[in-house]
Amino acid sequence: INAEYGGVGFGVLLSVLAYVQGWVWFPDQLTWEFYALIGTCVVVCLANYANEYHQFYPLQYSKFAADGGVPARLGWFIMYFTPMLVYIIVWSCIPNADSSYDYLVLAMYCAHFLKRCLEVIFVHKYSKDCLLQTVIEIASFYSLGAVVTAYSCHSLAGEPRFSFLDDMFRVKVGLCIYGFGQLCNLLHHYILANLREPGSFRYVVPSGGLFSMVVCPQYFGELMSWLGFAITSYQYGAYLSYIPMVVYLCARAHHTYRWYATKFDNYPGSGTLKLWPIIY
């Protein structure tokens, strides 16, 4: 599937399959909060589609941005630390959010962004500083997801969440997918960080790992980790955070593919797909 919508369609299909499997919890009575979360998801998906696929107002970072005024490590650390802090604050304000389920979901969410913060410090190599506007935009985007996820997982679920760990098969599947996604993401970030010769800022075509199959396997890993988080949490709000990430990262992979094709001869070569191995 190489159509423009193929990657998004497959990502959403994984959510549908989770629902068919019975791995998505919905409240018995649909309140205004439910519809507000659905509306927020739709708006963010449409914004991501317009801004990233059609480049109306794309996020400016990496190869798609000019040099900025915020030191790169500081900027990216802020972008990843902020949503983790926001999630912890929201969680701490919710009464009785101290069950085993609450702590597991909290740990998984924070572990994701803690890993990203550690990558900023120890793994990534930056050739450009960040634009202040980009730091604010990405930190806000992730923080919105943190609020939606924390509120839906720890508050909207109410007392039924105390039984969300009873289905240990679902929990184990979710944790395995989450762990695989994190390792996949880390591996390909490490590969990207070590592509260039010391002191060189020249872009090269990535190779190794799943780069032989897709252009952006680091995005594949990130989406798998968010899918695993959603399955483990059992909460529809987590899927509503996952789907906008699918739209966003598929669009970034699409334009990364096009960027490489314009910069390097005989590209794409073997890496003809963009994000999902075998699929898109």
Side-chain angles (χ1 to χ4, degrees):
I1 302 174
N2 276 319
E4 183 177 353
Y5 307 109
V8 174
F10 181 74
V12 174
L13 176 62
L14 293 178
S15 296
V16 174
L17 292 176
Y19 172 77
V20 171
Q21 184 66 28
W23 289 350
V24 186
W25 177 85
F26 288 98
D28 294 331
Q29 294 184 336
L30 303 183
T31 64
W32 68 269
E33 294 158 315
F34 171 84
Y35 293 108
L37 290 178
I38 294 290
T40 299
C41 175
V42 171
V43 169
V44 174
C45 285
L46 291 175
N48 285 343
Y49 174 76
N51 292 331
E52 297 299 335
Y53 267 118
H54 293 291
Q55 300 286 281
F56 290 162
Y57 192 71
L59 290 174
Q60 301 293 314
Y61 66 89
S62 185
K63 60 181 68 66
F64 301 106
D67 203 4
V70 180
R73 292 194 193 282
L74 174 62
W76 283 103
F77 188 88
I78 292 172
M79 288 183 240
Y80 294 136
F81 183 78
T82 302
M84 181 171 65
L85 180 61
V86 168
Y87 192 100
I88 292 172
I89 291 173
V90 174
W91 166 78
S92 65
C93 293
I94 298 173
N96 302 317
D98 55 359
S99 68
S100 298
Y101 168 83
D102 292 301
Y103 286 128
L104 175 61
V105 173
L106 172 67
M108 291 178 69
Y109 195 92
C110 291
H112 173 82
F113 284 103
L114 178 60
K115 165 187 161 293
R116 299 306 297 269
C117 288
L118 293 174
E119 287 177 344
V120 168
I121 298 172
F122 298 109
V123 177
H124 295 309
K125 298 174 183 176
Y126 301 99
S127 58
K128 299 176 183 177
D129 288 336
C130 298
L131 297 169
L132 177 60
Q133 172 183 325
T134 301
V135 174
I136 295 172
E137 289 172 344
I138 294 181
S140 299
F141 174 70
Y142 280 133
S143 295
L144 174 62
V147 172
V148 169
T149 306
Y151 184 63
S152 60
C153 288
H154 303 288
S155 180
L156 287 184
E159 292 188 4
R161 75 180 187 279
F162 299 144
S163 64
F164 283 179
L165 298 185
D166 290 351
D167 184 356
M168 286 306 298
F169 177 72
R170 187 200 79 249
V171 173
K172 290 177 181 178
V173 169
L175 287 172
C176 287
I177 294 174
Y178 173 85
F180 165 78
Q182 296 291 354
L183 291 174
C184 177
N185 182 258
L186 174 61
L187 170 64
H188 293 96
H189 280 163
Y190 179 81
I191 291 174
L192 287 171
N194 290 277
L195 286 175
R196 301 167 179 162
E197 296 293 332
S200 172
F201 296 111
R202 182 176 62 88
Y203 279 102
V204 297
V205 177
S207 60
L210 294 180
F211 281 111
S212 62
M213 300 180 67
V214 294
V215 177
C216 296
Q218 72 275 24
Y219 293 167
F220 165 65
E222 179 155 0
L223 289 182
M224 292 304 291
S225 67
W226 284 122
L227 177 65
F229 175 86
I231 291 172
T232 305
S233 73
Y234 192 43
Q235 174 54 248
Y236 72 92
Y239 289 91
L240 295 180
S241 293
Y242 158 76
I243 292 174
M245 288 299 299
V246 170
V247 178
Y248 171 67
L249 291 180
C250 284
R252 296 296 294 195
H254 172 74
H255 284 287
T256 299
Y257 176 93
R258 294 181 61 183
W259 186 89
Y260 280 128
T262 61
K263 296 295 182 181
F264 298 99
D265 295 332
N266 302 318
Y267 186 85
S270 60
T272 55
L273 300 178
K274 299 170 185 176
L275 190 153
W276 300 108
I278 305 174
I279 302 296
Y280 169 76

